[in-house]
Amino acid sequence: MDPIFLSTLIVGGTALLSWPLGRYMAWAMDPAGNNGPTNLFERISGARGMQDWRSYVASLLIFNVAMFTICFAILSLQQFLALNPDTKGALDAHLAFNTAASFTTNTNLQHYSGEVSMSYLSQLAALMWLQFVSAATGIAALAALARGIAGRETMGHFMIDVQRATFLVLLPLAVLVAGYMVLMGVPMTLQGAAQAVTLEGATQTIARGPVAVFLAIKQLGTNGGGYFGPNATHPLENPSFWTNLVSMIAIILIPMACVWMFGRIIGRQRHAAVIFSVMLVFLIAKIASSVWFESAPTYALRDLPVEQTLGNLEGKELRLGATTGPLWAVLTSSTSNGSVGAMHDSLNPLTGLIPMIGMWLNATFGGVGVGMINMFVYIIIAVFVAGMMVGRTPEYLGHRVEAREVKLAVMALFLHAVLILGGTALFAATPWGQSTTLNPGAHGFSEILYEFTSAAANNGSGFEGLGDGTAQWNIATGIVMLLGRFVPIILPLAIAGSFMTKQRAAESVGTLGVEDATFATMLAITIIIFGALTFLPAAAIGPMAEQLSLAY
Amino acid sequence: MSKTSSASLFTSELLKPALRDAVRKLDPRELYRNPVMFTTAVVALLATVLALRSLVAGAEDTFFQLQLVIWLWLTVLFGNLAEALAEGRGKAQAAALRSTKAELTGRRIDGEQQEKVPASALRKGDLVRVETDELIPADGEVIAGVASVNEAAITGESAPVIREAGGDRSAVTAGTRVLSDGITVRVTAEPGQGFIDRMIALVEGASRAKTPNEVALTLLLTGLTLIFLVAVGTLPAFTAYAGQTISVPVLVALFVALIPTTISALLSAIGIAGMDRLVRFNVLAKSGRAVEAAGDIDVLLLDKTGTITLGDRQASEFVALPGVAQGDLVEAAMLASLADETPEGRSIVALARAQGMEATQPAGAEVVTFTAQTRVSGIDADGREVRKGAVDAVLKLHPFDARATQALRQVTDRIARDGGTPLAVSDGTRLLGAVHLKDIIKTGIKERFAELRRMGIRTVMITGDNPLTAAAIAAESGVDDFLAEATPEDKLELIRKEQSGGRLVAMCGDGTNDAPALAQADVGVAMNTGTQAAREAGNMVDLDNNPTKLIEIVGLGKQLLMTRGALTTFSISNDVAKYFAILPAIFVALYPGLGTLNVMGLTSPQSAILSAVIFNALIIPCLVPLALRGVAYKPRSASRQLIGNLGLYGLGGLIVPFIGIKGIDLAVAALGLA
């Protein structure tokens, strides 16, 4: 299918769908009064009253620590537990730690192959359950942030919000998508692996399991963790063009809708539209460049007498079409999803750079809830610089942006840079990383850079070509994932909390407008300069060096 | 607004001490206040040590390293120079002020005796006597006597002003000269804390604390520096993966080029210059915070008289009641005003003359002067009691005929609706009519208000007039709102109301009863002629006593913030070009393909790195005039402001360094420096 048509269909179609969904999510997450579901959730959790930002964050952390602990316990003990028809064995402690961290943080970095290592209980109760609640944590945090910005008295209650996000937003959508996937031939069973006799008469074991439900929430919740090791390139996880299409829509649907939900809660739809447009422009630019970079054949084939017009087909699932590789790569990396529809390791070097850019920015559209939260950090910086340029103490929607807010925002940017560049430096300079890459030179460096980028951005996709199952990798990326998840949620909530304590300034034509093209431009420039430029040196000696050395 | 040409910034008398100060400011304790420049100095020191080691070892790139070291130190020095220049301009002013203060002595009253003591011995609460031609030794309040005082020392205005006990003109300032008569003054400031002392400290920048916005910006810049420290500091590890090393001096060059040295170097100069502009404008801000707050003002409370209208109302019409001859009214009004030396009184006489009335004050006439209690004036002569005054006050004089009273009400209501102030005129028990006193709206004030509206600032007129008059003047002058029959309490309440709606309010005032409102307002400009209480309550003092200045003060505050924002944007945008200069230069040995990124076609890696660092250093002195003068400020809406500045300083910041670095590279190559 024509790449432009396909990309437009998926991105444009999802953008249209995101509008009503955003409206629904605003209703579900932030109902005007205490509606039926809210009363129910209050009864279930016993949560009463409202929280300021500190107690909201405290509840969020306690909840996530509990989830992490349960997940870690199930993974460590799976060999003794039920739902293990194929008698999967014990996991290494560091792998269990990494996996628990990975799924708690909505990252789904997988240093294992599900069909080889995980029992059905581990897949469903530990991993899939976390795919729901980790995504719900992100949506809840965004709702709280929006309430703070809206100037409410409190941020709401985390225990209520996380239930709203799980049961009112994610579950219904997951049921819809899972149903569709089952109809399209994705397995949904608790029976053990199937045995088949091949044409040659050999016996083949075909792994299967409750794939459809896992798949639905993996995409919708920007989790990305595959049921099978090869993720969405596996024929039972993504059997056809039609499952592929819906998967891609599911990847960006909720991240897009989160922007509208944010706009509705703060009561500023036009502002949300400006943010949405900026995110969309970045997304389109990334798709366009990666599709274009990938239209060249892989370098190794360049001088061979083969068809040169088909683009780079290495590492692609041809039954899904050639465009799907770069398109999926952009969608999955722009949203902190991390499921893969082609081998990123086999992408042309500059195409491989695009997913990294997506994760460095991590806000166009970003993970469910947290993408918009990350964008909020860029907004604070943009507002601060632009606000001075209009000759006033900077204000964001009437909230004065002062030392405390700037400090917290810069800390978030700093942390992202430290986790990625610091981690990469540590592993690039030591045998921890050097002895695990399968490629020398710039490409091998890119593999390390990609892994830390993916962990810090809570994306979870792998460049692969990396022996990342070592204790060092498991522990280092596990720590990076945890810091990269919770600190960037806490800092923006602290900013909103600080807003809530201050008198709100009135807006006039003299105050900085955040609803016009000028602000959109300012925001885009801020994202490039504060977000992307930091990583330019790393990009230069990774993917860019590889590409330019090939051409040299 | 006084403008200083940029040429005068670099006169040798300013430049020489500034250069000395720039070197003195290398003291780490001074540098520490500016984290980015401090970091720059630290890495410059590191580069120096390495260069010296290379020199000893005779390494082949020693010459290159030494040049780098020189330019790194120049970057720091240029930053110090910018600050020193800004301070230098203030210091010249401070020196002049100090000379007026030197050698002040006063005669302290101690019981019956008077004792001559130096000003430094005078304490708060002491009483001093100041006679003709003496300098007032300390700030204080007149408690006895009246004097005309020359305050040129602080205001530059040589016309003497009256200072007297009681009322709103009781404050005196140290260093000003009594021209006639004598006064007794109660000292209100401890030595060294008087008005002039504070002024000296302010213009010198000595007491300059960082403003909240400056603190926030410093945090942003420091954060950026840390981020670039990570970005650059991890590079050796990255290249180690490929089995290569990068030389430390080159990394230092990249780091210094990327961190926001430009804005950091100019930051304090911008702040000092902002205060300085205000001082040159004869307004004294008590803190930098107040100047910034001025830029944030949403509501301006403006006194009608003197700001919106000319100070004096003019008689424009005599309106006789039915059955009263016009001539009778005019004559009575004239008689009642002959002895009235107020501008209103004189304008009545002038108008009557213009209408052909001739009258002189009868011999033996007894003059009734205006008082705040009676609010009428006139004369008693030849058995007549001619009066003019506020309508209510006149009506209280006698039980006048009811029909006449009603007729008068009609006339005065019409005058009020037209924006005039009516004065009633009576002769004995007979009501004659009314004089229409008209406020003369200042020319151009309507346009000013329209301008402010475009900037999002609401103007509120404060007046003691009745609501009808106020509404008419408000409509004519184009002010957004008005507060009629305003008492000090009304003002305070209005300010509180606006503030609770999230708006910042500025006002000016002079009287003691203005003090609470001045203190409550976010920007309170006290008139220098005002009382000590008012001057203490406000956070700015206008030495010229010109309430219209409030509008310009807002502009100055905005200009200060805009300058900071524009230079920040410029500084950060520069990084794009610097990356394209230095990154290929560093990595081309490792990956020759990365030479493609050398879009500027710079001569050699060494020359590219050197050029970027030279540009980074030279841009600071190039921008000093802009930092001191402030960016061009036009009153317009926020979105137009942003488009303008983003286009000029954002886009400019992207493009200029490409051209500059290329030019420097050509020069470096031509001179064979690298």
Side-chain angles (χ1 to χ4, degrees):
Chain A
M1 197 177 274
D2 178 54
I4 296 175
F5 177 73
L6 183 68
S7 311
T8 315
L9 181 75
I10 291 175
V11 174
T14 316
L16 288 179
L17 282 176
S18 71
W19 172 256
L21 179 60
R23 190 183 177 133
Y24 168 74
M25 284 171 66
W27 173 83
M29 295 303 298
D30 193 49
N34 251 16
N35 57 12
T38 305
N39 292 331
L40 181 67
F41 297 146
E42 280 184 353
R43 264 209 301 284
I44 294 173
S45 61
R48 284 280 179 283
M50 293 289 153
Q51 296 177 307
D52 62 7
W53 80 268
R54 282 192 179 83
S55 20
Y56 198 95
V57 163
S59 292
L60 187 150
L61 289 178
I62 292 168
F63 177 79
N64 276 277
V65 166
M67 292 303 133
F68 174 89
T69 313
I70 293 169
C71 176
F72 185 80
I74 293 178
L75 292 181
S76 306
L77 304 172
Q78 66 168 358
Q79 66 273 27
F80 308 117
L81 298 174
L83 279 180
N84 192 3
D86 296 319
T87 58
K88 301 285 196 287
L91 297 176
D92 284 336
H94 55 78
L95 179 62
F97 163 72
N98 184 279
T99 307
S102 172
F103 280 77
T104 307
T105 59
N106 194 246
T107 310
N108 295 200
L109 190 72
Q110 293 167 295
H111 287 172
Y112 64 89
S113 275
E115 70 275 28
V116 180
S117 313
M118 296 296 167
S119 74
Y120 288 172
L121 185 74
S122 296
Q123 292 273 32
L124 292 178
L127 304 185
M128 195 188 77
W129 166 245
L130 275 176
Q131 289 187 327
F132 274 100
V133 294
S134 69
T137 298
I139 297 174
L142 178 62
L145 180 82
R147 289 190 195 111
I149 295 168
R152 307 273 178 84
E153 296 275 300
T154 72
M155 283 199 162
H157 199 293
F158 174 76
M159 290 313 297
I160 306 288
D161 282 345
V162 79
Q163 293 181 80
R164 284 172 174 156
T166 307
F167 297 113
L168 299 181
V169 179
L170 294 167
L171 193 60
L173 280 172
V175 167
L176 268 176
V177 174
Y180 172 86
M181 291 297 169
V182 171
L183 289 178
M184 288 292 141
V186 176
M188 183 64 208
T189 175
L190 289 178
Q191 291 174 346
Q195 301 292 326
V197 179
T198 66
L199 289 175
E200 292 89 18
T203 312
Q204 188 189 9
T205 307
I206 300 170
R208 56 182 177 175
V211 185
V213 281
F214 201 91
L215 162 62
I217 189 59
K218 127 186 150 182
Q219 303 300 29
L220 287 166
T222 61
N223 291 287
Y227 188 88
F228 299 106
N231 212 307
T233 57
H234 191 290
L236 293 185
E237 192 153 342
N238 192 6
S240 67
F241 173 83
W242 296 106
T243 54
N244 195 51
L245 187 74
V246 170
S247 289
M248 285 200 271
I249 290 172
I251 288 175
I252 46 171
L253 181 60
I254 298 184
M256 280 182 165
C258 278
V259 181
W260 301 125
M261 179 188 92
F262 174 77
R264 283 184 184 276
I265 298 180
I266 64 170
R268 300 293 285 259
Q269 302 278 34
R270 279 180 61 93
H271 177 49
V274 164
I275 298 171
F276 194 93
S277 321
V278 171
M279 291 177 167
L280 194 62
V281 165
F282 273 86
L283 185 70
I284 291 171
K286 284 183 285 186
I287 292 174
S289 43
S290 67
V291 169
W292 189 66
F293 291 142
E294 206 59 6
S295 66
T298 190
Y299 190 77
L301 302 180
R302 205 174 66 167
D303 296 327
L304 296 179
V306 294
E307 178 60 57
Q308 297 281 341
T309 57
L310 290 177
N312 179 6
L313 297 182
E314 185 192 335
K316 308 280 187 305
E317 279 291 294
L318 291 184
R319 66 203 160 80
L320 305 174
T323 309
T324 206
L327 177 59
W328 186 302
V330 170
L331 296 180
T332 194
S333 60
S334 295
T335 56
S336 112
N337 184 293
S339 64
V340 289
M343 269 315 176
H344 289 188
D345 200 24
S346 306
L347 298 172
N348 282 334
L350 285 183
T351 324
L353 174 63
I354 305 294
M356 288 197 234
I357 293 176
M359 293 183 281
W360 290 334
L361 304 181
N362 212 18
T364 61
F365 286 77
V368 288
V370 291
M372 183 58 229
I373 294 178
N374 287 336
M375 180 55 91
F376 171 71
V377 172
Y378 289 117
I379 291 175
I380 292 297
I381 303 281
V383 161
F384 182 72
V385 177
M388 285 191 290
M389 275 199 286
V390 306
R392 282 178 69 96
T393 301
E395 292 149 343
Y396 174 54
L397 303 174
H399 303 290
R400 300 182 129 234
V401 179
E402 292 169 305
R404 181 174 161 80
E405 292 78 13
V406 168
K407 184 175 73 187
L408 293 168
V410 171
M411 275 164 70
L413 293 180
F414 175 70
L415 178 84
H416 195 53
V418 166
L419 290 181
I420 294 174
L421 297 175
T424 305
L426 183 65
F427 275 60
T430 61
W432 289 355
Q434 283 173 353
S435 62
T436 56
T437 56
L438 303 185
N439 299 75
H443 192 80
F445 173 73
S446 296
E447 286 163 358
I448 299 176
L449 178 63
Y450 193 104
E451 188 73 4
F452 273 105
T453 302
S454 178
N458 293 149
N459 183 276
S461 65
F463 210 45
E464 302 312 329
L466 189 65
D468 53 18
T470 64
Q472 289 90 350
W473 272 116
N474 279 335
I475 293 167
T477 53
I479 293 170
V480 167
M481 284 187 286
L482 289 169
L483 289 174
R485 170 69 171 181
F486 293 106
V487 181
I489 287 179
I490 295 169
L491 294 176
L493 284 181
I495 296 177
S498 163
F499 282 165
M500 289 161 83
T501 61
K502 288 196 268 193
Q503 154 117 45
R504 205 165 170 181
E507 291 178 64
S508 71
V509 295
T511 47
L512 175 72
V514 290
E515 300 184 335
D516 54 14
T518 320
F519 183 73
T521 313
M522 185 71 206
L523 184 57
I525 293 173
T526 308
I527 293 170
I528 292 173
I529 290 188
F530 286 81
L533 274 191
T534 317
F535 298 98
L536 189 60
I541 48 178
M544 286 159 90
E546 188 188 352
Q547 172 75 36
L548 293 167
S549 305
L550 292 175
Y552 196 72
Chain B
M1 213 177 287
S2 66
K3 272 199 175 156
T4 328
S5 72
S6 59
S8 74
L9 291 176
F10 294 115
T11 55
S12 64
E13 66 189 281
L14 272 178
L15 206 52
K16 259 189 230 153
L19 279 170
R20 232 185 358 257
D21 279 349
V23 178
R24 186 183 52 76
K25 281 169 186 282
L26 285 176
D27 183 337
R29 283 163 303 179
E30 284 255 349
L31 272 179
Y32 189 73
R33 281 164 50 92
N34 187 332
V36 178
M37 296 317 281
F38 182 74
T39 312
T40 310
V42 169
V43 296
L45 194 65
L46 174 70
T48 311
V49 173
L50 291 172
L52 291 177
R53 214 176 59 178
S54 299
L55 189 66
V56 173
E60 57 177 309
D61 67 343
T62 306
F63 181 52
F64 167 71
Q65 281 197 40
L66 286 174
Q67 287 186 77
L68 268 186
V69 164
I70 290 170
W71 286 105
L72 291 178
W73 281 116
L74 279 175
T75 310
V76 181
L77 278 174
F78 285 151
N80 290 347
L81 183 68
E83 189 177 278
L85 271 174
E87 286 172 354
R89 298 212 294 177
K91 272 188 186 141
Q93 240 164 335
L97 284 171
R98 214 172 252 133
S99 67
T100 65
K101 248 210 104 195
E103 313 292 319
L104 283 179
T105 54
R107 264 176 291 130
R108 185 163 60 193
I109 303 173
D110 199 1
E112 294 294 297
Q113 297 177 339
Q114 292 187 5
E115 176 196 5
K116 208 163 174 117
V117 295
S120 57
L122 289 172
R123 295 276 174 266
K124 211 168 172 173
D126 285 355
L127 298 182
V128 287
R129 181 73 193 168
V130 191
E131 300 291 351
T132 306
D133 231 23
E134 287 180 340
L135 289 172
I136 296 171
D139 288 6
E141 199 157 358
V142 182
I143 54 164
V146 182
S148 71
V149 179
N150 181 342
E151 297 193 332
I154 52 168
T155 63
E157 177 63 56
S158 57
V161 290
I162 301 295
R163 290 284 178 259
E164 59 191 342
D168 287 349
R169 294 183 298 177
S170 61
V172 288
T173 311
T176 56
R177 186 177 296 275
V178 173
L179 293 180
S180 68
D181 308 304
I183 45 177
T184 305
V185 174
R186 180 188 291 120
V187 176
T188 55
E190 295 289 347
Q193 286 165 21
F195 194 68
I196 290 195
D197 300 292
R198 276 199 306 217
M199 199 160 159
I200 290 170
L202 275 169
V203 292
E204 274 191 325
S207 70
R208 217 179 74 86
K210 276 189 186 151
T211 64
N213 179 258
E214 254 180 308
V215 172
L217 181 57
T218 305
L219 279 170
L220 177 69
L221 300 174
T222 310
L224 263 183
T225 304
L226 284 173
I227 291 174
F228 283 122
L229 187 65
V230 172
V232 175
T234 49
L235 282 179
F238 293 177
T239 49
Y241 180 81
Q244 300 270 345
T245 53
I246 311 181
S247 81
V248 177
V250 168
L251 284 178
V252 165
L254 175 64
F255 176 64
V256 171
L258 290 180
I259 62 176
T261 47
T262 313
I263 174 64
S264 303
L266 298 171
L267 192 54
S268 64
I270 294 169
I272 296 169
M275 294 282 274
D276 191 46
R277 272 197 297 279
L278 211 56
V279 171
R280 273 155 203 267
F281 193 54
N282 263 351
V283 174
L284 202 57
K286 292 191 187 162
S287 69
R289 199 183 190 123
V291 187
E292 268 172 23
D296 295 347
I297 290 305
D298 301 291
V299 182
L300 279 182
L301 302 190
L302 297 168
D303 279 327
K304 182 195 78 175
T305 309
T307 310
I308 296 168
T309 61
L310 292 174
D312 314 325
R313 283 181 287 206
Q314 305 277 322
S316 67
E317 193 188 1
F318 297 105
V319 188
L321 296 183
V324 176
Q326 181 77 10
D328 288 357
L329 169 66
V330 178
E331 192 225 3
M334 190 169 180
L335 280 175
S337 307
L338 279 172
D340 181 355
E341 283 302 310
T342 64
E344 284 90 353
R346 277 192 300 232
S347 81
I348 292 172
V349 174
L351 182 67
R353 289 228 170 89
Q355 293 190 357
M357 178 60 61
E358 284 301 334
T360 48
Q361 195 163 320
E366 195 174 319
V367 175
V368 178
T369 52
F370 177 90
T371 70
Q373 279 76 42
T374 62
R375 294 192 295 149
V376 292
S377 61
I379 54 169
D380 293 342
D382 310 334
R384 289 171 71 187
E385 285 179 22
V386 185
R387 295 286 185 275
K388 71 164 202 301
V391 179
D392 290 340
V394 169
L395 287 178
K396 273 189 208 137
L397 291 175
H398 293 284
F400 293 107
D401 173 56
R403 276 224 309 273
T405 307
Q406 200 188 1
L408 182 75
R409 285 276 181 213
Q410 277 173 4
V411 168
T412 55
D413 280 356
R414 179 186 64 75
I415 293 173
R417 267 197 306 279
D418 290 349
T421 305
L423 290 184
V425 182
S426 67
D427 186 349
T429 57
R430 189 167 162 238
L431 275 180
L432 298 178
V435 182
H436 184 166
L437 287 180
K438 203 171 172 180
D439 271 307
I440 312 294
I441 306 241
K442 283 190 173 177
T443 50
I445 200 79
K446 196 164 186 165
E447 289 70 27
R448 293 296 286 279
F449 290 149
E451 204 174 71
L452 287 168
R453 206 169 297 123
R454 278 197 299 279
M455 291 159 63
I457 297 171
R458 221 157 55 83
T459 44
V460 179
M461 179 178 82
I462 307 291
T463 172
D465 292 339
N466 65 59
L468 278 177
T469 311
I473 297 175
E476 196 182 341
S477 63
V479 75
D480 294 313
D481 203 352
F482 63 86
L483 183 65
E485 289 169 350
T487 62
E489 293 75 34
D490 292 340
K491 268 199 217 182
L492 190 61
E493 196 189 329
L494 177 68
I495 294 173
R496 289 217 172 105
K497 199 185 90 201
E498 294 288 353
Q499 285 174 335
S500 68
R503 282 173 286 270
L504 266 65
V505 183
M507 68 164 285
C508 50
D510 50 8
T512 300
N513 54 15
D514 281 332
L518 279 171
Q520 178 72 32
D522 300 282
V523 172
V525 182
M527 298 297 113
N528 190 43
T529 47
T531 57
Q532 193 62 27
R535 283 180 7 178
E536 287 296 327
N539 46 16
M540 291 190 193
V541 177
D542 177 14
L543 303 176
D544 295 342
N545 314 310
N546 173 3
T548 321
K549 271 196 192 164
L550 209 47
I551 300 172
E552 273 85 9
I553 292 173
V554 170
L556 285 173
K558 286 194 180 297
Q559 193 189 24
L560 171 67
L561 275 159
M562 276 166 54
T563 307
R564 221 178 262 154
L567 289 175
T568 304
T569 309
F570 184 87
S571 180
I572 294 170
S573 314
N574 278 350
D575 276 4
V576 177
K578 291 173 190 165
Y579 263 130
F580 276 102
I582 299 186
L583 276 190
I586 294 182
F587 295 136
V588 76
L590 213 58
Y591 297 108
L594 284 176
T596 317
L597 291 181
N598 181 5
V599 288
M600 284 175 268
L602 303 179
T603 319
S604 70
Q606 285 198 346
S607 128
I609 292 166
L610 202 54
S611 305
V613 171
I614 293 176
F615 175 84
N616 192 50
L618 287 181
I619 195 73
I620 296 172
C622 290
L623 290 175
V624 164
L626 183 67
L628 296 190
R629 222 176 34 233
V631 299
Y633 168 74
K634 278 182 238 134
R636 48 188 177 178
S637 75
S639 81
R640 296 195 153 275
Q641 213 76 271
L642 182 59
I643 293 174
N645 285 326
L646 199 56
L648 190 56
Y649 298 99
L651 204 60
L654 282 179
I655 297 169
V656 166
F658 276 103
I659 301 168
I661 292 175
K662 177 69 184 170
I664 294 170
D665 174 73
L666 290 175
V668 165
L671 296 172
L673 294 175

